[in-house]
């Protein structure tokens, strides 16, 4: 059986550079420190240190084991804090990376509400359509659309049934006509955006006959997805992006949806952490908070759509 106290002494010895110094810092006898590491080595069936009469250094196996040992100690500390403190009181800093359009027009208001609920929390927001390097950048989490390309990250779903929506302003459709199928998109001005250095110019659809991808073109590209949405509202072309981003414009009639919702590509929204050691009480509560807001936003929109359809059938336009 592996003891967490033995792991603690192992990590302390690595940081201190010797068993004697680790024992002094922990206020225990040097022999106890040495015995604890030997006990851990026996439990792991490997040598963690290469020892000599004058020096001590980590073995190859010890170097591999060290990050896992630190993670276990951090998990214990988090568990102790969770039990000892009131989880409704959050403090410290919350450092987030969020996408531009969703971040500015929806998430900022939600984060204001979250911080007002937890006034001891300090908020740091990085607004960008570049994929943050969570393992290198000083960030606690990131809000991202789509499936993860890096399986080592930890993804917490905020909304799974979200999809993209193909939309345009009424003025554009009046001028250029409404596409009747995926192939028609090749003849339209498609407004494209760059996500993390990659141009989003291959639009995917989930049609009854199977998935279909079309290469689109147009006269405008931006590395800020909000700019692309604004171009669409101004009647400059077609936009194909997350429905969450487009709901305010769809409800106001500034944009019109062109294809049936189920024919558009899934666009799940996740809260991403570099590893499980980052799953602090703050991140956990933020996840539940954002899940509730995203779910309510979509449910309210679909209820609005349902009411509009009923009213259109009940009260036809009188010409």
């Amino acid at each position: 059986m592996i003891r967490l106290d033995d792991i603690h002494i192992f990590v302390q010895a690595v940081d201190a550079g010797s068993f004697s110094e680790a024992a002094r810092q922990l206020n225990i006898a040097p022999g106890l420190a040495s015995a604890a590491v030997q006990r851990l080595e026996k439990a792991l069936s490997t040598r963690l240190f290469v020892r000599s009469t004058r020096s001590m250094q980590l073995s190859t196996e010890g170097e591999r084991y060290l990050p896992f040992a630190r993670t276990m100690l951090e998990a214990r500390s988090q568990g102790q804090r969770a039990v000892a403190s009131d989880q409704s009181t959050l403090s410290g800093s919350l450092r987030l990376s969020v996408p531009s359009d969703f971040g500015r027009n929806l998430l900022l208001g939600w984060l204001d509400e979250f911080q007002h609920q937890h006034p001891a929390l300090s908020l740091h927001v990085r607004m960008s359509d570049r994929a943050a390097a969570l393992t290198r950048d000083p960030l606690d989490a990131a809000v991202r659309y789509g499936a993860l390309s890096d399986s080592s990250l930890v993804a917490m779903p905020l909304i799974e049934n979200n999809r993209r929506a193909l939309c345009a302003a009424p003025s554009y459709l009046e001028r250029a006509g409404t596409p009747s199928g995926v192939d028609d998109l090749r003849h339209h001005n498609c407004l494209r955006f760059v996500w993390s250095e990659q141009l989003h110019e291959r639009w995917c659809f989930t049609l009854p006959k199977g998935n279909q991808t079309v290469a689109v073109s147009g006269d405008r590209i931006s590395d800020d997805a909000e700019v692309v949405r604004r171009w669409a509202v101004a009647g400059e072309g077609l936009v194909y992006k997350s429905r969450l981003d487009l709901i305010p414009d769809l409800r106001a009639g500034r944009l019109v949806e062109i294809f049936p919702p189920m024919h558009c590509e899934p666009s799940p929204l996740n809260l991403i952490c570099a590893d499980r050691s980052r799953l602090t009480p703050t991140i956990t509560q933020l996840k539940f908070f954002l899940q509730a807001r995203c779910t309510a936003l979509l449910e309210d929109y679909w209820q609005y759509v349902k009411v509009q359809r009923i009213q259109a059938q009940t009260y036809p336009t009188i010409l």
Side-chain angles (χ1 to χ4, degrees), residues 8-167:
H8 183 199
I9 292 172
F10 162 66
V11 172
Q12 195 75 23
V14 172
D15 293 341
S18 70
F19 291 139
S20 59
E21 179 58 22
R24 188 191 67 78
Q25 294 174 2
L26 294 171
N27 197 28
I28 61 175
L32 291 178
S34 179
V37 173
Q38 290 176 9
R39 194 162 47 238
L40 180 59
E41 289 178 325
K42 183 177 180 180
L44 294 171
S45 300
T46 191
R47 297 193 64 175
L48 299 173
F49 290 102
V50 177
R51 303 170 178 85
S52 69
T53 56
R54 295 186 177 182
S55 67
M56 177 189 76
Q57 62 182 23
L58 278 173
S59 66
T60 302
E61 293 78 9
E63 290 178 351
R64 292 199 196 104
Y65 186 68
L66 181 59
F68 296 99
R70 294 191 190 279
T71 298
M72 283 186 277
L73 293 178
E74 176 60 25
R76 179 176 67 174
S77 297
Q78 290 180 13
Q80 290 170 338
R81 290 194 296 269
V83 171
S85 63
D86 178 0
Q87 291 304 290
S88 65
T89 303
L90 303 178
S91 61
S93 63
L94 174 58
R95 301 163 299 180
L96 293 174
S97 172
V98 302
S100 63
D101 201 2
F102 179 74
R104 291 190 186 101
N105 296 292
L106 288 172
L107 192 57
L108 279 185
W110 294 344
L111 289 177
D112 285 343
E113 184 182 353
F114 186 73
Q115 190 177 31
H116 292 160
Q117 292 177 7
H118 307 283
L121 203 60
S122 173
L123 190 61
H124 303 253
V125 178
R126 177 183 297 182
M127 199 84 62
S128 175
D129 285 329
R130 296 174 182 267
L134 288 171
T135 56
R136 298 195 307 269
D137 294 345
L139 292 166
D140 298 305
V143 176
R144 290 187 190 172
Y145 282 116
L148 283 184
S149 58
D150 185 347
S151 60
S152 67
L153 301 176
V154 178
M156 295 163 282
L158 298 179
I159 193 76
E160 296 183 278
N161 61 343
N162 181 54
R163 288 177 177 265
R164 296 184 186 276
L166 181 68
C167 302

